[in-house]
Amino acid sequence: MQGGRSEVLRKKSATEISQLDFDGFGIGGSFAKEDMSTAVKWVNEILPEEKPRHLLGIGEPEDLFMGVENGVDLFDCVGPTRLARNGTLFTHQGKIN
């Protein structure tokens, strides 16, 4: 799903794509961190629940929780690997550099 920060474009994308016979759906595109939950909610209200929904480009552990709360099944991002490669860890107490 694409559509940036536009509710109309994201919902249109979800409506059109969900009518195609795909095995699952990718949710990506340009959105600010503070808009991600809202944008994911917009499309997941439309996409079929019986097919996996994949959120691209998450970067922080809290993004996983937000995604699951909003119906996301799969995730990927280079961010955590890049951070680890440069000496950053995610812990229960927060990030350690």
Side-chain angles (χ1 to χ4, degrees):
M1 298 322 99
Q2 298 294 323
R5 298 168 118 175
S6 168
E7 180 177 3
V8 170
L9 292 176
R10 285 217 174 251
K11 286 183 173 183
K12 180 176 181 171
S13 178
T15 300
E16 295 292 326
I17 293 290
S18 67
Q19 295 175 25
L20 300 174
D21 189 27
F22 288 125
D23 293 330
F25 302 96
I27 304 166
S30 174
F31 37 67
K33 177 95 165 164
E34 60 273 6
D35 297 334
M36 190 182 326
S37 178
T38 303
V40 168
K41 191 178 298 183
W42 289 335
V43 299
N44 278 341
E45 290 173 348
I46 295 168
L47 294 175
E49 289 185 27
E50 68 275 6
K51 294 187 177 183
R53 294 163 290 179
H54 181 97
L55 182 59
L56 300 109
I58 61 106
E60 306 269 333
E62 57 269 14
D63 298 337
L64 295 169
F65 295 105
M66 175 283 302
V68 170
E69 289 169 356
N70 287 295
V72 174
D73 303 297
L74 305 163
F75 304 87
D76 78 281
C77 185
V78 300
T81 304
R82 183 180 302 127
L83 289 168
R85 201 172 44 241
N86 291 294
T88 299
L89 302 173
F90 288 110
T91 72
H92 291 291
Q93 290 79 34
K95 281 192 228 177
I96 297 174
N97 293 313

